[in-house]
Amino acid sequence: MNLNPIIDPNKRYDFMLVFDVMDGNPNGDPDAGNLPRIDPETMQGIVTDVAIKRKIRDYIYLTRGHLEGFDIYVKHRGILTNEQKKAYEELGKQEGDSSPATVKDARQWMCEHYFDTRMFGAVMSTKKFNAGQVRGAVQLTFARSVDPIFPSESSITRVALTNADDIKGGDVADEEARAGQMGRKAHVPYGLYIAYGFYTPSFATQTGVGEEDLKGLWEALINMWDLDHSAARGRMACRGLYVFAHESRLGNAPSSQLFEKVDIQRIDKGTVARSYKNYQAIFDEGMPEGVAMHKIISSFE
């Protein structure tokens, strides 16, 4: 897997990420009892950009977090102002100093030390330790399933109780203690999802994105699924990563035109899809001048 052609921070990249889930919940909706997210009109599955970025952040922190400049600003259960406070302490600034020069220096410090601030941007214009705002070089769309999905719920039981007074009558020897409690578990039998992303070098220049940042991004999109396993996730994997590299910083063709060069279709619509092998990718190899398509991962060939 050669990533060298797509790690130049001065080039524009548009990319298409294809991943699947089997017997898992790729992104639960808290407003719907944690059922898998869906488009209610088409029944296509949805995975938010926030959920995808969370996996990227976790992968970078686990694989590069010990390196200078690869800390993560938005951590699990983190306190954002605590991270901004580090910038003020390193710069020798006071908490209430929100002068333009201080905010600019703090913003620069945050970009230098946090991968996700450089790549995804951040709103850090808080009352305490104001570090301004950063527009990230990488933007992602929601992922949408190729076909409609059918969210399912399965009944599950637990043989242990949470509290002693959950037992009827409070008798520890009660039959209820051995029977346990009932619960529900949501999952998608199978879904193949596509998300789109955009890397803009003009924003990268402002935040200081380098080759190692881009290399980390591509590696995360491919491998982050293996560091995110859980009983709720089921089986998830990257099935395709197609990167369109532009010679021009401003781009040589519209991204919408490039994404149409890869068309993923069901092979036999009369069967129920339960694997990526039920799909095929049809490629239009005719690229606009100044654009090259790199098939980093392509499980459909």
Side-chain angles (χ1 to χ4, degrees):
M1 183 175 59
N2 182 16
L3 297 177
N4 290 332
I6 54 172
I7 60 172
D8 184 347
N10 296 308
K11 289 185 176 181
R12 182 182 130 187
Y13 302 105
D14 300 311
F15 57 94
M16 178 175 173
L17 173 67
V18 185
F19 62 92
D20 65 354
V21 59
M22 177 181 288
D23 298 328
N25 187 352
N27 188 201
D29 185 350
D31 289 329
N34 207 44
L35 283 168
R37 296 179 189 270
I38 59 168
D39 179 332
E41 293 183 312
T42 66
M43 292 301 291
Q44 288 172 288
I46 298 291
V47 175
T48 66
D49 60 317
V50 176
I52 298 172
K53 288 178 183 177
R54 179 73 267 158
K55 297 180 195 302
I56 296 172
R57 285 183 169 102
D58 291 345
Y59 179 87
I60 294 296
Y61 192 68
L62 285 171
T63 60
R64 290 172 166 78
H66 61 287
L67 301 176
E68 182 71 21
F70 283 88
D71 201 353
I72 294 298
Y73 173 57
V74 183
K75 297 183 175 73
H76 272 299
R77 300 184 179 181
I79 306 298
L80 298 181
T81 52
N82 286 349
E83 305 301 326
Q84 294 163 219
K85 181 180 179 180
K86 296 176 184 177
Y88 272 65
E89 290 175 343
E90 289 293 325
L91 296 169
K93 304 295 184 179
Q94 299 300 315
E95 175 183 334
D97 185 354
S98 59
S99 65
T102 296
V103 172
K104 181 180 178 181
D105 290 344
R107 178 183 181 276
Q108 177 75 20
W109 193 93
M110 295 296 291
C111 287
E112 290 175 355
H113 289 80
Y114 293 92
F115 169 88
D116 54 340
T117 303
R118 287 193 300 276
M119 297 297 273
F120 303 141
V123 177
M124 303 175 289
S125 50
T126 53
K127 291 183 179 179
K128 292 184 177 181
F129 311 110
N130 185 352
Q133 299 183 21
V134 177
R135 186 168 183 180
V138 175
Q139 302 299 328
L140 293 167
T141 69
F142 281 18
R144 179 179 290 269
S145 65
V146 177
D147 290 323
I149 63 168
F150 299 93
S152 300
E153 275 193 304
S154 300
S155 297
I156 57 175
T157 59
R158 184 173 62 175
V159 297
L161 300 180
T162 304
N163 303 296
D165 51 6
D166 289 337
I167 304 169
K168 292 180 180 178
D171 184 358
V172 177
D174 194 284
E175 183 69 22
E176 182 84 6
R178 292 194 294 273
Q181 294 174 316
M182 299 290 292
R184 306 286 291 176
K185 189 170 185 178
H187 68 281
V188 176
Y190 185 79
L192 185 71
Y193 293 75
I194 301 175
Y196 300 96
F198 316 89
Y199 170 81
T200 307
S202 57
F203 298 145
T205 300
Q206 298 175 25
T207 63
V209 173
E211 290 185 358
E212 193 62 28
D213 293 316
L214 279 169
K215 185 178 179 182
L217 173 68
W218 307 131
E219 288 181 359
L221 293 175
I222 296 167
N223 301 313
M224 62 190 183
W225 318 97
D226 287 324
L227 299 183
D228 190 53
H229 286 307
S230 72
R233 295 278 188 271
R235 290 177 58 189
M236 296 186 69
C238 175
R239 299 303 181 184
L241 178 59
Y242 308 101
V243 182
F244 299 90
H246 300 251
E247 291 181 359
S248 168
R249 284 173 58 88
L250 299 178
N252 297 87
S255 59
S256 57
Q257 177 183 340
L258 299 178
F259 293 146
E260 291 176 354
K261 300 292 184 180
V262 183
D263 185 17
I264 297 179
Q265 303 176 351
R266 281 273 294 279
I267 296 173
D268 182 0
K269 293 189 177 182
T271 62
V272 178
R274 287 295 182 266
S275 167
Y276 71 92
K277 296 178 181 178
N278 294 124
Y279 294 84
Q280 63 180 344
I282 300 174
F283 300 98
D284 179 353
E285 302 289 352
M287 291 292 116
E289 184 178 355
V291 179
M293 178 171 64
H294 300 274
K295 301 175 185 177
I296 306 303
I297 297 290
S298 188
S299 300
F300 307 97
E301 296 181 282

